[in-house]
Amino acid sequence: MAPSEKLVAPSHTGAQIGRDVAGVLLIIAAGLAGYWLFPDNLALLTRVIAVALMVLSLDLIVGYCGIATLGHAALFGAGAYAAGIACVNGVTEPLTLIVIGAVGGAAAGLVMGTIMLRAHGLPQLVLSIAIVQLFHEAANKASAYTGGSDGLSGLMPSPLFGVFEFDLWGQTAYLFGLILLVFVFIVLKFVVSSPFGMLCRGIKEDQVRIRAMGAFVFPVLLKMFVISGAVAGMGGALAAISTQVVGLDSVSFELSANALVMLVLGGLGTLYGALVGTVIFMGFEHVVSSINPFHWMTMVGALLIAVVLAAPKGLSGLTDRLFASGRAKGGR
């Protein structure tokens, strides 16, 4: 048995690495294709990347840890406001602003995780809604720092590396966001494939058994909350840098709900599903709203119902099922 395991494990690992490399190359190719095919919509595509970072961070919590949350925009908004406030007060270097956004999101994730992990199930979901509403109200009341309902404006990030300016066409912001997305995706792939990521999956499947094995569940989940907050905060900072304004919509319940819808649409617990769901949802929303600005939400709702009924595990799950069926037919 042992010799066969030694033979199978390397090939399985090699196949997994090959799929991950192919996935990263596909993300890069799709990003560059968007740059060349839609040069007039780079601002929208940069927004898609920023939201995709938030949905990736949500997948860490929902897909890998099984924690129900509808308040993830609090982490996104914390990163956006942290970067925005820093930029207004003289910190204009883009990479530094991304780091500040990550720190802000991680701090918000620490607070949110400490509160939410005290409960389970439906109370946990209610707590997440309460937290995002509190963040929204705090951002509205602290108008001296956040701009309140008018938003935080006047953000002027300096040129990237002192050379590449953030112009009106959004070329620098988009390429910067694409590089950031690829880097974060690669890092998260290592995180979820590590023993720590496997432990999070085990907690999702059976917390009682993991506790019986001697593992401490709360610190593990809290650590994932902090990682998730850092990723969401980077997405918020990217949105602040690219739009040069931060509004209350960055910490809205609607954004949290849309992020969860995007994740379910793409598929939980794969990371790829977060990207697929974000691109399809926001792309479909943009196209349909431009065609019919009065009834576009009805069309979006119909799409979501169709996808959920046809593919309960999301579009990535449907793709995996089709590939598995194709391999089975090929084997026969």
Side-chain angles (χ1 to χ4, degrees), residues 81 143 146-153 245-248:
Y81 275 110
S143 57
T146 64
S149 58
D150 295 329
L152 185 64
S153 58
V245 64
V246 183
L248 289 177

Side-chain angles (χ1 to χ4, degrees), residues 184-294:
V184 169
F185 185 86
I186 293 173
V187 172
L188 293 185
K189 266 297 179 182
F190 279 107
V191 170
V192 299
S193 301
S194 66
F196 168 72
M198 294 298 104
L199 182 57
C200 289
R201 291 191 181 198
I203 292 173
K204 176 187 176 182
E205 296 298 327
D206 195 337
Q207 282 196 24
V208 176
R209 180 173 295 182
I210 296 299
R211 285 195 178 95
M213 293 170 60
F216 296 98
V217 172
F218 181 83
V220 172
L221 295 181
L222 186 60
K223 187 185 297 184
M224 186 61 92
F225 248 106
V226 172
I227 296 173
S228 174
V231 175
M234 284 189 278
L238 175 63
I241 292 172
S242 59
T243 60
Q244 300 182 8
V245 64
V246 183
L248 289 177
D249 59 324
S250 298
V251 286
S252 66
F253 172 75
E254 181 182 0
L255 180 59
S256 297
N258 285 343
L260 186 59
V261 168
M262 295 174 202
L263 181 58
V264 173
L265 180 64
L268 300 171
T270 64
L271 294 184
Y272 294 105
L275 301 182
V276 172
T278 304
V279 171
I280 290 179
F281 180 89
M282 296 189 69
F284 187 80
E285 181 184 53
H286 175 72
V287 172
V288 173
S289 61
S290 62
I291 295 174
N292 192 330
F294 300 104

Side-chain angles (χ1 to χ4, degrees), residues 86-101:
C87 188
V88 169
N89 287 277
V91 182
T92 59
E93 206 284 316
L95 290 176
T96 304
L97 292 175
I98 293 294
V99 173
I100 292 173

Side-chain angles (χ1 to χ4, degrees), residues 57-142:
S57 71
L58 181 62
D59 198 14
L60 295 177
I61 298 299
V62 179
Y64 288 92
C65 296
I67 300 173
T69 175
L70 273 171
H72 221 66
L75 312 183
F76 181 86
Y81 275 110
I85 292 171
C87 188
V88 169
N89 287 277
V91 182
T92 59
E93 206 284 316
L95 290 176
T96 304
L97 292 175
I98 293 294
V99 173
I100 292 173
V103 173
L110 180 62
V111 173
M112 190 174 185
T114 303
I115 297 172
M116 283 185 57
L117 294 176
R118 302 295 179 182
H120 300 280
L122 188 59
Q124 200 172 57
L125 191 66
V126 174
L127 278 177
S128 70
I129 298 174
I131 289 171
V132 73
Q133 297 288 7
L134 287 174
F135 268 75
H136 184 276
E137 189 62 20
N140 187 29
K141 293 298 183 181

Side-chain angles (χ1 to χ4, degrees), residues 29-60:
L32 294 178
Y35 179 81
W36 292 109
L37 294 176
F38 306 103
D40 297 330
N41 292 309
L42 293 182
L44 172 64
L45 296 181
T46 306
R47 173 68 178 177
V48 171
I49 291 175
V51 175
L53 287 170
M54 182 180 70
V55 181
L56 278 173
S57 71
L58 181 62
D59 198 14
L60 295 177

